[in-house]
C-alpha cells in the first residue's frame, strides 16, 4: 500500500472520561496512552481551561515507521484550536510512546496558556519514567505525586 492514510482524529472533552474516535476504535498502545492522558487532563488545569483536545494521528505507510501526531487544544467552543505536532518513529516501547504523547500534549497545553498538570504546591508536574512506570513528579524534589492516569 502506498500513499497517505487518512488521519485518525481522537478527541476528548471534560464530559468524556475516555478518548473517542469518529468511526474508528483506538486500540493498543494508543488507546492505553490516550486513556491515561484523558483521565489526567480533566484534573489540575490552571490559568485557562481546555474544553476540548484533539489528537490527529497519521502514518505514512512508506515512511519507514514514522507517525505524525498533532495535538490541538480548544479553550472554548468559539475559538480555533492551538497547539502543535511532531513526527516520531513509533518503534519504541509502549512506555516510550505514552511518554512522548503525554509530553506532546503537555507542550500543546502550554502553547494555549493552560498550565497542566498544575501542582498543588505551585508550578507544573513533570512526567518521568521510573523503571518502566510513568509518574508525575515535583520537579524540584522529584517526589512522585501520582502514576500517569491516576491523578486526583
Amino acid at each position: 500500500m502506498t500513499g497517505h492514510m487518512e488521519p485518525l482524529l481522537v478527541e476528548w472533552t471534560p464530559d468524556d472520561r475516555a478518548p473517542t474516535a469518529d468511526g474508528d476504535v483506538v486500540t493498543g498502545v494508543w488507546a492505553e496512552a490516550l486513556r491515561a492522558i484523558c483521565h489526567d487532563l480533566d484534573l489540575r488545569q490552571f490559568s485557562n481551561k481546555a474544553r476540548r483536545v484533539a489528537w490527529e494521528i497519521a502514518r505514512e505507510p512508506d515512511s519507514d515507521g514514522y507517525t505524525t501526531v498533532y495535538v490541538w487544544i480548544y479553550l472554548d467552543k468559539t475559538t480555533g484550536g492551538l497547539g502543535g505536532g511532531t513526527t516520531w518513529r513509533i518503534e519504541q516501547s509502549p512506555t516510550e510512546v505514552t511518554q512522548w504523547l503525554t509530553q506532546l500534549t503537555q507542550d500543546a497545553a502550554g502553547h494555549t496558556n493552560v498550565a497542566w498538570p498544575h501542582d498543588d504546591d505551585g508550578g507544573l508536574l513533570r512526567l518521568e519514567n521510573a523503571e518502566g512506570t510513568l509518574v508525575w513528579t515535583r520537579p524540584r524534589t522529584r517526589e512522585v505525586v501520582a502514576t500517569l492516569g491516576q491523578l486526583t
Side-chain angles (χ1 to χ4, degrees):
M1 180 178 197
T2 60
H4 178 73
M5 293 176 63
E6 282 296 312
L8 174 64
L9 184 65
V10 181
E11 296 184 289
W12 169 87
T13 67
D15 296 330
D16 302 326
R17 292 308 288 169
T20 58
D22 185 36
D24 284 301
V25 175
V26 183
T27 59
V29 70
W30 292 106
E32 293 173 31
L34 291 170
R35 268 194 291 278
I37 294 167
C38 288
H39 173 275
D40 290 357
L41 267 171
D42 198 27
L43 304 165
R44 297 183 182 239
Q45 292 184 33
F46 184 77
S47 184
N48 286 318
K49 182 81 170 163
R51 303 309 312 153
R52 182 167 67 100
V53 180
W55 295 268
E56 185 178 338
I57 304 166
R59 184 171 187 160
E60 297 285 345
D62 297 330
S63 66
D64 201 25
Y66 285 87
T67 298
T68 301
V69 176
Y70 292 97
V71 181
W72 305 106
I73 309 282
Y74 298 84
L75 299 178
D76 60 44
K77 294 178 180 163
T78 60
T79 61
L82 297 172
T86 190
T87 301
W88 196 64
R89 189 179 186 109
I90 306 295
E91 289 185 356
Q92 307 298 322
S93 72
T95 300
E96 290 170 312
V97 170
T98 302
Q99 185 172 12
W100 171 75
L101 192 56
T102 304
Q103 289 171 334
L104 184 62
T105 303
Q106 191 174 26
D107 289 347
H111 290 304
T112 58
N113 294 319
V114 174
W116 174 80
H118 187 261
D119 186 3
D120 293 336
D121 291 344
L124 294 177
L125 298 175
R126 179 173 58 202
L127 189 68
E128 291 189 24
N129 185 340
E131 298 180 18
T133 300
L134 295 176
V135 294
W136 292 112
T137 63
R138 291 190 168 100
R140 286 175 294 228
T141 63
R142 300 193 73 192
E143 174 188 356
V144 173
V145 174
T147 302
L148 176 66
Q150 302 297 317
L151 273 178
T152 57

